[in-house]
Amino acid sequence: MFTGLIAETGTVVSLEKKVGVTRIHVAAPTLAKQLGTGDSIAVSGVCLTALNITPESFEADLLEETIRRTSLTHLASGSRVNLELPTPAGTPLGGHVVQGHVDGVGYLLSLTAVTSDADYTDWTLKIAAPAALSPYIVEKGSIAINGISLTVAKVEPAADGAKEVTVALIPHTYAVTNIHTLQPGDPVNLEVDVLAKYAEERAKKTAAESITERSLIAAGF
């Protein structure tokens, strides 16, 4: 499990296509030293398994499911990626529950400075989210964008059931993540709040359950 609090930005060294997989090589001078072979690490919101670790970098394999659901293969040598190690048990949950299981790819619409103060500038980020994720995105709810735990500030309808989602960024988030490297049209990995998905599944099961004399007795009525 992750929290969406980015520890470091790494740099893509290479993407190499192999039989059935694509191997990504990431330079991560700080976090690579903390990794062991087989450890999990979130790369721009995608939970991957670290391989071929050196003190300065690591590699990981992207399977077909990862390639299909995420934006990682859109990266190139020199691209910046957000990195986070799993959250140890008992650690305060500073962001929200992030699994590193990307639900879909959105696209950056705009990144706008809110203030002109040279010492402190907030930013507004707007993305287009696919229609399939619309039921799970609500105002003041949580969403992970490229692995960053963020709060939805505004949701607006778009064409074909999609949504335009606005979040606010403090200067720290803008500076220490890869958000400041993005341009309009760039793809971003989206993970909706897993609690919303469980709530939906539970609601479906509840609706499907019929109330009978036996079920009422079993429930203590």
Side-chain angles (χ1 to χ4, degrees), residues 5-10 27-32 34 80-84 176:
L5 302 182
I6 304 305
E8 177 186 4
T9 55
T30 301
L31 292 191
Q34 303 175 49
R80 303 292 291 175
V81 289
N82 298 323
L83 303 175
E84 183 189 357
V176 304

Side-chain angles (χ1 to χ4, degrees), residues 6-192:
I6 304 305
E8 177 186 4
T9 55
T11 304
V12 175
V13 177
S14 64
L15 280 165
E16 180 185 359
K17 291 186 177 180
K18 296 176 175 289
V19 179
V21 301
T22 296
R23 177 67 61 88
I24 187 171
H25 183 191
V26 179
T30 301
L31 292 191
K33 298 179 179 64
Q34 303 175 49
L35 290 171
T37 299
D39 285 352
S40 294
I41 183 168
V43 179
S44 284
V46 186
C47 182
L48 299 176
T49 300
L51 305 168
N52 296 340
I53 301 160
T54 75
E56 300 291 325
S57 68
F58 67 92
E59 296 180 354
D61 286 336
L62 312 180
L63 302 180
E64 283 299 321
E65 175 75 358
T66 306
I67 293 169
R68 183 173 65 85
R69 282 187 176 268
T70 77
S71 68
L72 291 188
T73 52
H74 292 272
L75 301 174
S77 178
S79 296
R80 303 292 291 175
V81 289
N82 298 323
L83 303 175
E84 183 189 357
L85 296 178
T87 302
T91 301
L93 186 63
H96 73 282
V97 175
V98 177
Q99 296 181 297
H101 302 162
V102 171
D103 294 300
V105 174
Y107 294 89
L108 177 66
L109 296 174
S110 63
L111 181 59
T112 309
V114 177
T115 65
S116 58
D117 188 333
D119 297 321
Y120 193 96
T121 302
D122 291 331
W123 296 81
T124 296
L125 175 75
K126 180 180 283 190
I127 62 165
L133 303 188
S134 292
Y136 314 107
I137 303 174
V138 296
E139 189 171 316
K140 304 306 179 186
S142 296
I143 189 170
I145 300 177
N146 273 1
I148 310 164
S149 175
L150 296 167
T151 301
V152 176
K154 187 177 181 180
V155 183
E156 300 170 280
D160 300 323
K163 285 186 177 179
E164 293 185 0
V165 182
T166 301
V167 299
L169 304 174
I170 61 173
H172 176 77
T173 302
Y174 178 83
V176 304
T177 70
N178 72 350
I179 291 295
H180 65 272
T181 70
L182 301 180
Q183 299 295 322
D186 283 350
V188 291
N189 293 319
L190 302 178
E191 182 184 334
V192 297

